[in-house]
């Protein structure tokens, strides 16, 4: 008989609303949830996640709650602990280290405040360890997701030796040079916390290598790693693409964009996504190629995130200001070169994926990037993908997408122009190949491989 499964993540599959008798749950957002929710729905799997709102906190008092076929156990963690752990350790330190985002001349500053936040991070991990210890069925496989929960390995090994544990990172991983920014004791605690799972998984062999090298450098230890990229849920995505809302949005794009060609990007307003250099590359393309002016529109669909952090607020303003500069430089009475859309409307984003001629995915560093595969699954215009070599998904799409260096403006400007210039036969062949690669794996392959890694 298959062992029971316990999934563990910071952000859970359900978001609760209302209170008392009116407490209701809706499915949460994000690639992990949309891929996994259908797989665990109707099964015995328990998904343990942190309470992120007051309604989630109320749900936490009810133990395991079942909604939409998903059994969730929400964990109410002290708000101050949660804030220090999430904002300071997870988002300002670990996210930056794993994505190489620190401007080391200024940040990070490791002071008493940071040490205090690390204590909160430990407490956050302790709270999860306690609930997993209490709730996990005998002999279960516990699948822990991401950097928020990097310290569970040793805790679970001691408290519940009957469990098999796997840790999966959805981000890249800090190589030794970055990891050495953390004080040695904290770096060692983090790496031990992960390496003490039975296996550690990554979306790309590059990230697994970086993790192994950091473990070698700091712990002098070889952890057990595996590589298993997550995949988009094609059926789920295509049902949204075929829906009424999406259909109406496609008609609207047709009206608004008309005969012009469409470059699209869809991402969180996130430092690692490289929106600024994407706009600079487009600006360069318009400078280099006067014939393309007025013939193309660049739509950037995104949504603000982590706005509690000053870096994200500043980045958003810079993105808005740069779009404005490019629009001022090239725009005409009837043509706006860049359109920023921060509505965070999923059917609208999917409509743009159906309708793009070129999809730009140019992160500085990205664990995977599902959008680069979601686009080809639903696109209807033989659209091409311009893709950063630094995204994990580049491993799957190399040769089918146009690879770019995300730091090089000229390379990206040329790639955008080349993508717009492609003849129909070449575009069609490329789009078919992209689709074939995007269909090659499913979320259930990913879950199966994660479980098999500790089987
Ligand atoms: C993206 C990343 C995940 C990360 C998540 C957290 O989806 O791929 O690695 O865990 O963002 O986002 P949040 O908004 O919860 O901080």
């Amino acid at each position: 008989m298959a062992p029971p499964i316990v999934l563990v993540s910071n952000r859970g599959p359900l978001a609760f609303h209302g209170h008392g008798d009116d407490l209701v749950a809706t499915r949460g957002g994000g690639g992990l949830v949309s891929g996994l929710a259908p797989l665990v729905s109707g099964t015995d799997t328990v998904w343990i996640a942190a309470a992120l709102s007051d309604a989630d906190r109320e749900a936490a008092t009810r133990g395991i709650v079942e909604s939409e076929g998903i059994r969730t156990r929400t964990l109410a963690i002290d708000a101050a602990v949660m804030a220090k752990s999430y904002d300071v350790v997870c988002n300002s330190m670990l996210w930056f280290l794993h994505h190489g985002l620190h401007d080391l001349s200024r940040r990070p500053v490791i002071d008493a405040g940071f040490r205090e936040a690390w204590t909160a991070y430990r407490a956050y991990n302790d709270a999860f360890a306690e609930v997993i210890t209490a709730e996990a069925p005998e002999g279960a496989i516990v699948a822990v997701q991401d950097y928020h929960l990097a310290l569970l390995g040793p805790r679970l090994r001691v408290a519940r030796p009957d469990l098999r544990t796997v840790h999966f990172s959805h981000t890249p991983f800090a190589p030794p040079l970055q990891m050495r920014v953390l004080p040695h004791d904290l770096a060692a605690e983090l790496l031990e916390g992960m390496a003490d799972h039975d296996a550690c998984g990554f979306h790309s062999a590059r990230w697994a290598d970086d993790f192994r090298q950091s473990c070698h450098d700091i712990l002098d230890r070889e952890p057990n790693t595996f590589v298993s990229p997550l995949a988009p849920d094609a059926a789920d995505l295509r049902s949204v693409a075929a829906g009424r809302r999406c259909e109406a949005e496609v008609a609207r794009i047709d009206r608004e964009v008309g005969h012009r060609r469409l470059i699209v990007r869809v991402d969180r307003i996130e430092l690692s996504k490289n929106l600024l250099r994407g706009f600079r590359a487009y600006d360069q393309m318009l400078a280099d190629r006067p014939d393309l002016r007025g013939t193309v529109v660049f739509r950037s669909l995104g949504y603000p995130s982590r706005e509690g952090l000053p870096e994200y607020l500043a980045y958003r303003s810079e993105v808005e200001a740069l779009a404005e500069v490019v629009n001022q430089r090239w725009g005409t009475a009837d043509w706006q070169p860049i359109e920023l859309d921060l509505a965070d409307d999923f059917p609208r984003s999917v409509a743009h994926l159906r309708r793009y001629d070129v999809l730009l995915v140019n992160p500085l560093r990205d664990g995977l990037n599902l959008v680069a595969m979601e686009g080809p699954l639903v696109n209807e215009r033989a659209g091409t993908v311009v893709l950063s070599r630094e995204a994990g998904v580049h491993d799957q799409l190399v040769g089918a997408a146009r690879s770019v260096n995300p730091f090089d403006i000229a390379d990206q400007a040329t790639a955008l122009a080349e993508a717009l210039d492609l003849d129909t036969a070449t575009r069609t062949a490329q789009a078919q190949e992209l689709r074939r690669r995007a269909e090659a794996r499913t979320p259930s392959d990913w879950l199966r491989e994660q479980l098999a890694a500790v089987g």
Side-chain angles (χ1 to χ4, degrees), residues 195-218:
D196 259 8
H197 291 78
D198 294 304
C200 291
F202 297 86
H203 289 305
S204 165
R206 288 177 280 162
W207 320 143
D209 287 350
D210 287 336
F211 173 61
R212 274 202 309 275
Q213 277 173 28
S214 281
C215 285
H216 180 76
D217 187 59
I218 291 170

Side-chain angles (χ1 to χ4, degrees), residues 10-11 86 91 95 146-148 170-171 268 305-306:
N10 176 59
R11 199 178 276 280
Y86 180 71
N91 291 344
W95 182 268
D146 248 341
Y147 50 92
H148 313 91
H170 292 270
T171 57
R268 275 189 306 125
S305 106
R306 302 181 192 168

Side-chain angles (χ1 to χ4, degrees), residues 149-213:
L149 292 156
L151 305 182
L152 292 182
R155 288 160 169 76
L156 296 177
R157 191 176 286 281
V158 171
R160 288 288 305 270
D162 60 299
L163 301 174
R164 278 173 288 165
T165 62
V166 52
H167 186 280
F168 197 93
S169 293
H170 292 270
T171 57
F173 200 84
L177 197 65
Q178 291 287 328
M179 208 29 118
R180 293 168 77 114
V181 167
L182 276 181
H184 182 82
D185 59 326
L186 305 188
E189 183 179 351
L190 182 95
L191 293 167
E192 290 281 7
M194 289 175 67
D196 259 8
H197 291 78
D198 294 304
C200 291
F202 297 86
H203 289 305
S204 165
R206 288 177 280 162
W207 320 143
D209 287 350
D210 287 336
F211 173 61
R212 274 202 309 275
Q213 277 173 28

Side-chain angles (χ1 to χ4, degrees), residues 87-159:
D87 288 335
V88 181
V89 175
C90 296
N91 291 344
S92 302
M93 176 60 85
L94 299 180
W95 182 268
F96 276 56
L97 279 186
H98 291 323
H99 290 85
L101 291 173
H102 280 303
D103 169 1
L104 294 177
S105 66
R106 293 186 180 79
R107 302 252 167 91
V109 175
I110 297 176
D111 55 7
F114 179 74
R115 289 259 173 198
E116 199 184 310
W118 190 271
T119 306
Y121 182 63
R122 231 178 247 144
Y124 172 92
N125 276 262
D126 283 338
F128 270 82
E130 208 173 289
V131 170
I132 297 165
T133 299
E135 302 280 4
E138 178 73 22
I141 297 182
V142 179
V144 180
Q145 310 299 310
D146 248 341
Y147 50 92
H148 313 91
L149 292 156
L151 305 182
L152 292 182
R155 288 160 169 76
L156 296 177
R157 191 176 286 281
V158 171

